[in-house]
Amino acid sequence: MSKKICVITTSLHGGSNSEALADAFIRGAVEAGASVQKIGLADKRIEFCRGCLICQKTQKCVIHDDVYDMIAHIKAADVLVFASPVYFYSVSGQMKTLLDRLNPMFPSEYAFREVYLLLASAEKDETAAEGSIKDIEGFVSCFDQVELKGVLHAGGVSEGKDIMERPDILGKAYRMGKAV
Ligand SMILES: Cc1cc2nc3c(=O)[nH]c(=O)nc-3n(C[C@H](O)[C@H](O)[C@H](O)COP(=O)(O)O)c2cc1C
């Protein structure tokens, strides 16, 4: 049976570098026969987690915004892929806000077993990705049976579409998607 992949792009501007990585990953995954759903946060209304923890009893969030529908798709996927710009050596605030809002999944049934992280940063050095990798590792470690399966970091991309001059890294994203 083909794998169900949910790809979440978290950059909010057009022509995003991390979104281009996600699109290359998706091309590979689709070619390999996966069914892919792409969700972009740019047009979503997402509030901060209020920390009330009611979701730990009800498995539902008290906030009725766009995360409500997203959780249904996220829970049903076999594989989750997050694409984020590096912001102050962490994942984007909008990605972190989404991760916090996924807390209703913690006590519930969920299908996903694999997580991938695709990152874009202005700094070229691999160390620029370390904080963001820690961020996703923290999330993954809270979900039994879930593994951080892959991380791809495109360093040295700053202006929108810089990534288009980097067929090497786009090729890596494509092959990563194809291998899922
Ligand atoms: C608020 C903000 C913080 C940033 N912090 C970093 C950083 O800590 N390290 C870095 O290398 N690049 C940093 N950048 C640059 C972005 O990571 C870079 O432009 C990236 O390619 C943007 O990805 P996107 O096009 O997918 O949004 C920052 C950019 C913004 C807007």
Side-chain angles (χ1 to χ4, degrees):
M1 217 171 70
S2 75
K3 274 194 176 164
K4 269 199 220 169
I5 305 179
C6 182
V7 178
I8 299 165
T9 60
T10 74
S11 183
L12 303 186
H13 68 92
S16 141
N17 291 311
S18 54
E19 184 169 2
L21 285 178
D23 288 339
F25 185 104
I26 290 169
R27 272 196 300 281
V30 168
E31 267 186 44
S35 89
V36 180
Q37 182 178 32
K38 180 180 168 186
I39 299 174
L41 298 193
D43 62 351
K44 298 285 184 287
R45 193 176 61 82
I46 302 180
E47 290 183 26
F48 296 121
C49 171
R50 296 176 192 165
C52 66
L53 293 176
I54 289 173
C55 64
Q56 300 305 293
K57 292 197 190 95
T58 63
Q59 304 184 4
K60 291 208 167 23
C61 186
V62 295
I63 305 168
H64 292 274
D65 60 6
D66 289 335
V67 175
Y68 196 82
D69 284 339
M70 284 171 66
I71 281 194
H73 296 297
I74 290 171
K75 276 168 83 166
D78 303 306
V79 179
L80 298 186
V81 181
F82 293 96
S84 179
V86 171
Y87 282 175
F88 296 110
Y89 300 105
S90 303
V91 296
S92 62
Q94 50 275 18
M95 172 163 162
K96 182 63 170 72
T97 297
L98 174 65
L99 294 180
D100 294 345
R101 288 291 309 285
L102 297 183
N103 205 25
M105 292 197 317
F106 182 64
S108 74
E109 297 286 323
Y110 47 85
F112 65 94
R113 295 291 176 265
E114 296 174 2
V115 171
Y116 288 80
L117 179 64
L118 310 175
L119 291 168
S121 74
E123 232 176 273
K124 208 168 183 161
D125 202 275
E126 278 308 307
T127 55
E130 285 174 356
S132 307
I133 295 169
K134 281 259 178 293
D135 292 336
I136 197 73
E137 281 174 348
F139 174 77
V140 166
S141 70
C142 293
F143 291 89
D144 290 343
Q145 298 177 282
V146 180
E147 189 189 349
L148 180 59
K149 206 65 201 297
V151 175
L152 184 62
H153 170 219
V157 291
S158 181
E159 301 294 318
K161 299 267 186 208
D162 270 1
I163 195 97
M164 294 309 176
E165 317 289 316
R166 298 283 305 279
D168 55 326
I169 197 88
L170 289 173
K172 277 188 187 170
Y174 167 83
R175 287 190 294 280
M176 194 177 242
K178 201 156 187 176
V180 168

